[in-house]
Amino acid sequence: MKTIQRTKIVDLLALTTYGCEVNVKGWVRTRRGSKQVAFVALNDGSTIKNVQIVIDLDKIDEELVKKISTGTCLSVNGTLVESIGGGQSVEVQATEIEILGECDNTYPLQKKGQTMEFMRSVAHLRPRTNTFGAIFRIRHNMAYAIHKFFHDRGFYYFHTPIITASDCEGAGQMFQVTTMNLYDLKKDEQGSIKYDDDFFGKQASLTVSGQLEGELAATALGAIYTFGPTFRAENSNTPRHLAEFWMIEPEVAFNDIVDNMNLAEEFIKYCVSWALDNCMDDIKFLNDMIDKELIERLRSIVNTEFVRLKYTEGIEILEKAVADGHKFEFPVYWGVDLASEHERYLVEHHFKRPVILTDYPKEIKAFYMKQNEDGKTVRAMDVLFPKIGEIIGGSEREADYNKLLTRIEELGIPMKDMWWYLDTRRYGSCPHSGFGLGFERLLLFVTGMSNIRDVIPFPRTPNNAEF
Ligand code: ATP
Ligand code: MN
């Protein structure tokens, strides 16, 4: 076969140099035709759009054409021609075809309209479908937008450890990391496991948040963010929780809770705008196939101001809803950790726009949050979104050494694990704030998908670590 420089389909579809010779490579999505001509829709992942390959059976060996079916990988040389009818402006009239990889009829992606459950069982192949191709292109674009947002504003990308020996973050159940022989564990007189001979000489786990180390960096570099894998062994089989997910955690010196809310709102709006400006082909597809209100919802978020409301006022609204006959699965009272149904009620029914809820009871929030004057609440902020509930959790941090220490003692957090964190408050303490955004929760919102297992390539959830 003649050597011609390959053109990606995304670029090829924009060409108007009719009559020129091109080479395209990709996987066959569909094949149809008559005795005389075959039409092949080829996709190479560079865009959701396929290019149509027209195969004249007088020109191409019939035995070879017979082998072309859904999933086959082809290299095609041909002439670029203007397309008559159909969606695309150009197609390729094949002159030479090479089959790079055959594909037999056991290929699981032959039929359209498979369920999402089925797609998860073929997660190794699902990126080859329109839906998952679109999702993973958007996922890449969002990651890029996040780095750009922070870089443009002078934040430094700071790498916090994935293996940690402090289990005091309290954000969730941890996965243990060990090289010990689990069939032969050494124990002390009390029956507790001895970690002296373990790899790190003490108990170690996978991180549930990079925040504590992020604070060390923010109180030196000024403004930082982390963006990395995060692990929580919570056994909650919900459409919004993964055991392994990606989190973005900005942390900023001298920001108070209002600055923190402003940053969170600007950040989410930037990411959504980025998707609308750069991923429209994919978003349009998802709007047509998955969620008919997707584009409208994305546009409206960019243009509305988020509601800012105190937890106590939120509870009052929910209690009124209950009094008016609204049924929640979980009870509502001051002090309760809001369930997703409560958060969604505020966002979807009551305000009909995103809500930033602040000043939560200290009992349901982490030890490091700045304590309010009332002695009951802390300067926490959760950003609540339609269809999702909590998308961001953050706070102004307690900067006062003594107040922080008192809280740590009240909660019985082991000091030996905390000395380095407390040093930020001992040596030149400063007001600072930050938050965590779950990357996959953002992707749920931007793609309109309803299960978090479908916005990460290889989901890890209870009883599932395939691929
Ligand atoms: P939730 O109440 O929804 O379980 P959380 O309060 O435990 O979340 P935080 O500790 O505040 O979560 O973490 C910050 C952000 O990380 C959350 O707002 C959410 O977007 C995301 N997140 C938390 N847990 C998970 C998870 N298991 N899977 C995916 N994203 C998560
Ligand atoms: Mn939270």
Side-chain angles (χ1 to χ4, degrees), residues 248-289:
I248 299 99
E249 295 180 280
E251 190 72 36
V252 189
F254 316 117
N255 266 12
D256 65 13
I257 184 96
V258 176
D259 302 321
N260 206 31
M261 287 193 269
N262 293 342
L263 180 67
E265 182 166 346
E266 189 193 354
F267 174 49
I268 295 208
K269 285 179 173 172
Y270 180 91
C271 291
V272 174
S273 298
W274 185 276
L276 286 167
D277 292 345
N278 295 279
C279 310
M280 209 37 172
D281 286 344
D282 290 324
I283 290 176
K284 267 196 190 119
F285 176 83
L286 295 169
N287 189 82
D288 289 347
M289 304 302 289

Side-chain angles (χ1 to χ4, degrees), residues 175 232-238 241-243 453 460-465:
F175 289 100
R232 296 193 184 176
E234 46 203 351
N235 208 343
S236 42
N237 234 320
T238 79
H241 289 93
L242 291 162
R453 292 164 180 77
R460 268 81 180 99
T461 51
N463 294 314
N464 177 39

